[in-house]
Amino acid sequence: MSNKWEVLGRIKESGLVVVVRANDPDEAKKITEACLKGGAAAIEITYTVPGATQVIEELAKEYQNEIIIGAGTILDPETARIALLSGAEYVVSPYLNEETIKLCNRYQVPCMPGVMTVEGVVKAMELGADILKVFPGEAFGPNIIKAIKGPLPQSSLMPTGGVSLDNVGKWIKAGAVAVGAGGSLTASAKTGDYKTISSLAEQFVQKIKEARLEKAFSGS
């Protein structure tokens, strides 16, 4: 199992977390393989996937040190602990649950709770959350990142929901440290087209790099 800071570093370096909501374990595995080929740093297996715990366990063993496997749609500390024992290296939640953050800190595992307000961001940081999942991102668009980082420049924000190839650069330029991409990247799995997923993952990573360079060059 990787060190907490290694996991966070790899996620921030790539900037892409792929949110997997598959119909079955086999589909989840094929999406993971496709995303690995495309250069994604992390896969988030959501607990809406049938047999999610088993999927995480199998992927964690098969792709150890190749791609980071995390658990998503975690609603409580009990599920978080099960996911960690199965090999998940980070935990993502759609909302802020204090006990889940405490559990992750206890075992020194990155926790990414869902937030949407300045109050939520401050509370999550006070509890020791590492990267804050701005969710649902499509509710406000990239401007929400810039708005939050105005008074809270120290916040590490990762939008999820509404992130696409067309706007990923805007999210990064607004100040996101990474993005969570789901359906906009993995939709072709429904038709068995995994090559497109690899191609899109590669394009996402490239656009993130380009946006970071532009941001650094502009000094914003």
Side-chain angles (χ1 to χ4, degrees):
M1 188 170 183
S2 300
N3 174 283
K4 170 181 178 175
W5 306 110
E6 290 175 2
V7 171
L8 289 169
R10 286 170 63 189
I11 288 174
K12 289 181 179 180
E13 183 182 359
S14 165
L16 177 61
V17 173
V18 181
V19 182
V20 177
R21 297 188 185 279
N23 294 316
D24 56 66
D26 184 58
E27 186 178 304
K29 291 174 188 176
K30 288 178 179 177
I31 290 173
T32 299
E33 177 68 29
C35 289
L36 175 62
K37 290 178 181 177
I43 295 292
E44 174 191 329
I45 300 296
T46 65
Y47 262 76
T48 57
V49 174
T53 299
Q54 183 182 350
V55 173
I56 289 170
E57 187 172 4
E58 291 180 12
L59 292 179
K61 288 178 181 177
E62 188 169 347
Y63 296 103
Q64 191 175 21
N65 300 321
E66 289 186 88
I67 193 166
I68 304 164
I69 305 298
T73 319
I74 298 295
L75 302 182
D76 48 62
E78 293 83 3
T79 308
R81 185 60 179 141
I82 290 169
L84 297 183
L85 289 171
S86 301
E89 294 193 82
Y90 65 96
V91 167
V92 185
S93 175
Y95 79 115
L96 197 160
N97 181 280
E98 186 171 336
E99 293 306 314
T100 298
I101 297 173
K102 284 182 179 179
L103 179 133
C104 288
N105 285 336
R106 187 177 304 135
Y107 294 102
Q108 285 296 282
V109 172
C111 185
M112 306 174 192
V115 296
M116 182 46 80
T117 65
V118 168
E119 180 183 10
V121 170
V122 172
K123 184 176 181 181
M125 290 194 297
E126 288 176 344
L127 290 169
D130 302 293
I131 294 176
L132 312 182
K133 172 182 173 177
V134 178
F135 178 82
E138 63 263 43
F140 291 98
N143 286 338
I144 188 67
I145 303 293
K146 195 171 183 179
I148 291 173
K149 289 188 75 70
L152 301 170
Q154 72 274 30
S155 58
S156 294
L157 307 175
M158 181 185 77
T160 302
V163 178
S164 67
L165 205 56
D166 292 332
N167 66 22
V168 64
K170 292 179 181 178
W171 287 105
I172 296 297
K173 289 175 186 176
V177 297
V179 299
S184 64
L185 199 161
T186 64
S188 65
K190 293 177 181 178
T191 59
D193 179 7
Y194 296 97
K195 286 185 178 179
T196 293
I197 294 176
S198 295
S199 174
L200 286 173
E202 189 174 352
Q203 291 177 64
F204 262 96
V205 171
Q206 185 58 36
K207 281 188 176 289
I208 289 168
K209 286 180 182 177
E210 290 171 359
R212 285 174 172 173
L213 283 172
E214 288 179 33
K215 188 173 187 294
F217 186 74
S218 66
S220 60

